[in-house]
Amino acid sequence: MKTLIIYTSIHHKNTEKIAKKMANILEAKLLTPDEADTNTFKEYDLIGFGSGIYHRKFHENLLNFIDGLPVLKNKKAFIFSTSGGLWLPCVNDFNRKIKEKLTEKGFDILGEFSYRGFNTYGPFRYIGGINKGRPYEKDFKKAEKFAKYLKDVVLKK
Ligand SMILES: Cc1cc2nc3c(=O)[nH]c(=O)nc-3n(C[C@H](O)[C@H](O)[C@H](O)COP(=O)(O)O)c2cc1C
């Protein structure tokens, strides 16, 4: 199974830390949207899309990258993010927009996850930030478990 992870991580590299843990398990190639070449997508069985949450969304460069993709067939994807606030899929679904875009582009989304990340944006900088030290070991373990689940699901299909 060949896996690619495309991610944007601009604030504290929180998402990059999670992406690297997942990449180790999935033996995935890690690229930013600027580095990724859509012509090589056909080589991959599974593509992960990760980002910090900025103003309740994935970073614009990742969303724009997806907008620029052709409609693909039989491509499996997964989504992950890191955020200052809690991800609550029913009320506060940071992943919703990217999920809609990926579905429009023909991706079959196998799973999604969100982790808490150190946040010093805006007023939080005056108190030294929130979620200090996160993502931490427990988050990494969850990310590895999630990656193992993806690996098993994809391998079984
Ligand atoms: C410009 C900006 C906007 C942000 N907006 C949100 C937000 O709307 N909701 C939230 O929960 N966290 C928000 N955050 C916190 C980040 O999502 C969090 O720190 C994340 O882990 C950053 O990931 P990164 O280090 O990979 O960039 C924001 C951070 C920045 C810098």
Side-chain angles (χ1 to χ4, degrees):
M1 182 184 70
K2 231 179 143 188
T3 306
L4 171 66
I5 295 177
I6 305 174
Y7 73 97
T8 304
S9 184
I10 56 157
H11 190 34
H12 288 291
K13 299 283 177 200
N14 298 331
T15 315
E16 185 175 87
K17 288 174 196 156
I18 293 286
K20 284 183 173 170
K21 295 287 174 186
M22 288 188 174
N24 275 344
I25 301 284
L26 293 162
E27 294 164 60
K29 188 167 182 143
L30 273 175
L31 296 174
T32 65
D34 292 340
E35 294 164 340
D37 175 1
T38 51
N39 295 320
T40 63
F41 269 36
K42 55 182 177 303
E43 295 170 21
Y44 297 97
D45 308 295
L46 178 66
I47 304 175
F49 295 89
S51 172
I53 297 301
Y54 316 101
H55 305 294
R56 307 187 67 200
K57 289 186 300 182
F58 274 55
H59 197 276
E60 284 298 320
N61 71 357
L62 192 61
L63 296 174
N64 291 340
F65 176 83
I66 294 166
D67 283 341
L69 290 176
V71 175
L72 300 154
K73 272 189 188 163
N74 304 322
K75 280 285 164 227
K76 295 180 176 64
F78 64 95
I79 303 164
F80 61 98
S81 54
T82 67
S83 62
L86 187 62
W87 174 58
L88 293 168
C90 299
V91 227
N92 189 18
D93 190 359
F94 310 130
N95 298 350
R96 188 179 53 81
K97 195 162 185 155
I98 193 167
K99 265 189 291 191
E100 285 171 4
K101 283 182 183 287
L102 289 172
T103 306
E104 277 168 25
K105 295 292 178 177
F107 283 93
D108 175 15
I109 301 166
L110 298 181
E112 57 178 313
F113 216 92
S114 195
Y115 308 82
R116 303 296 283 277
F118 182 45
N119 180 17
T120 53
Y121 180 61
F124 294 122
R125 72 175 177 275
Y126 299 114
I127 55 163
I130 56 165
N131 307 329
K132 283 179 198 163
R134 291 190 79 171
Y136 52 27
E137 203 46 42
K138 250 183 171 174
D139 299 311
F140 295 143
K141 288 274 169 278
K142 281 187 196 164
E144 284 167 355
K145 199 173 166 192
F146 178 53
K148 278 180 193 141
Y149 155 78
L150 290 166
K151 202 171 178 177
D152 290 345
V153 169
V154 175
L155 281 177
K156 273 181 199 156
K157 280 194 175 180

